[in-house]
Amino acid sequence: MKTSINLNPTIVVIFGGTGDLNLRKLAPALYNLYSDGFMPEKYAIIGTARKKLSDDDFRNTIMEGVNSFSRSGKVKKEKWDKFAEHVYYTSVDVQAEETFGDLKKNIEKHQQEFGPNTQILYYLAVAPNLFPLIATCLSKYQLAEENTRIVIEKPFGRDLETAKELNNILTSIFTEKQIYRIDHYLGKETVQNIMAFRFANSFLEPLWNRTYIDHVQISVTEQLGVGERGGYYESAGALRDMIQNHLLQLLCLIGMETPVNFDADEIRNKKVDVLKAMRPFSPEDIRFSTVRGQYTKGWVEGKEVPGYRHETGVDPDSNTETFAAIKFFVDNWRWQGIPFYVRTGKRLFQTSSLITIQFKDVPHHIFPSAVSEHWQQNRLIISIQPEMSIRLQVQAKRPGLDMVLNPVDMVFDYKGTYSAQAPEAYETLLLDVMTGDQTQFMRADQVESAWELLMPVVNAWENKKSLSFPNYTADSWGPEDAEALIARDGFHWFTLPLNKD
Ligand code: BG6
């Protein structure tokens, strides 16, 4: 998270230069950073992929990506031309080691021009099985020196063992300070604001514990199905794709103790403490505190959409979950006994990422029940997307001669408060990599602790095929069992009304 900017000359090397991630996210982010004046004075972006392309071909390819996916719309010709002067391409086939020699030449050319302070960032926007190979080749070609940083996309391993193996390979080549394991949720403006909200305001801390909070919900629901990513998704599923990383990181931000300062390691220590305090799953917990689901066909916005088993690249008899709901506990003084309900899924009724903190009820109701027929416990709702807001739901007296209470929202809404557009997560994170700030990146122990916690669930779900799949219709809220999971404790999943703008 930046507080001031002073950037050394930088060479950004993108492996997977012609891939989806670069076209949709990285290239637009770099262009927007440039447009907003956040790129270093001297920089070069080198795209690499197997294809043979000229620099100009590559520039055109990524321009199309920026035009289609940038938050700021189509490129402005003059600005783009200036930006594109810094963009280059080298064909690298990671299976043909010698092509790293060509990359080295290209890097050295810019390094000589930029001077001795030049930093080199490698962004691995490629299939995870290529991570070790690329890191090893960079080392062999002396391209992994002290002035370099490596950015690793998720998934970081498929389980605890493979995550450890990958960490071992990476740390045998780079130091932990050079490794940036990305979780793009941590770059979202509203997610970064959780720390600001919790630790820059004094009124919350006294309430932020088991005495005043009765449960927490973290719900990340998506309307989209797996689309073209069936092949990848088959080997992932909702648990690995979303819960192991994004949702557990959100849980850490809600659950963590107050850091002593804003240092990357101090903050990450506090997050790891949460993961370490989370209650391990017994076989009984897996039966009663977890729910998995898989979507079947349905209708979304007037169009029929296929069930998961009929998506491209998906096994017609697939056991992969497209929905997961889990009840976690954090066994420490602050949170003992307070459930954290987490759910995520594809092809659900609404796209929305919400964190709801429900407070305990008042100790004694002084109002007659007729006065407060809509009584509701206080809730704090942090809406990460698409609405960017924080709502505090409180009881209020409805204006009038009678005493009637109903819940109302006190709202902090980004749209109404700030006129500037929020940067995309990838802009924030790329800038953090350039400035060398690891706060919003996963340390090795963070990734491993998250895997360690989830392994019993991963194994149980993998070893025992679900007999009920598919068990929810596209455009629903997921399997009924997920409603039951939370209803058994007397709660229900909270949602915001659909945003009509
Ligand atoms: C990715 C997952 O990490 O996050 C996708 O692989 C998911 O399956 C995406 O759709 C959600 O991100 P966002 O920013 O759209 O909420």
Side-chain angles (χ1 to χ4, degrees), residues 16 20 69 76 104 138 142 186 207 245 260 276 311 323 355 358 383 388 405 443 454 460 484 486 499:
D20 232 35
F69 301 111
K76 310 228 167 26
K104 187 176 168 108
L138 289 173
Q142 283 100 43
L186 297 180
L207 305 177
N245 34 74
V260 173
K276 294 218 160 115
E311 301 273 19
F323 177 99
I355 301 175
Q358 178 155 310
S383 177
M388 297 168 71
L405 301 181
R443 214 169 49 190
L454 289 183
I486 189 163
N499 201 341

Side-chain angles (χ1 to χ4, degrees), residues 25 153-154 183-185 188 220-222 224-226 229 232-233 241-242 245-246 346 351 353 385 424-426:
K25 299 289 184 188
E153 263 295 331
K154 64 172 270 273
D183 180 323
H184 79 277
Y185 261 62
K188 288 182 190 276
V220 176
T221 58
E222 295 183 277
L224 286 176
V226 294
R229 297 169 74 223
Y232 151 74
Y233 202 84
D241 187 46
M242 297 293 286
N245 34 74
H246 307 324
K346 302 229 179 255
T351 294
S353 301
Q385 61 188 25
E424 276 270 339
Y426 279 93

Side-chain angles (χ1 to χ4, degrees), residues 261-280:
N261 55 35
F262 208 59
D263 282 355
D265 270 331
E266 168 63 7
I267 289 169
R268 297 190 295 177
N269 287 342
K270 292 291 187 284
K271 290 185 183 171
V272 172
D273 284 349
V274 178
L275 291 169
K276 294 218 160 115
M278 288 178 75
R279 189 175 300 169

Side-chain angles (χ1 to χ4, degrees), residues 3 50 394 448:
T3 45
R50 235 179 348 188
V394 297
E448 290 178 14

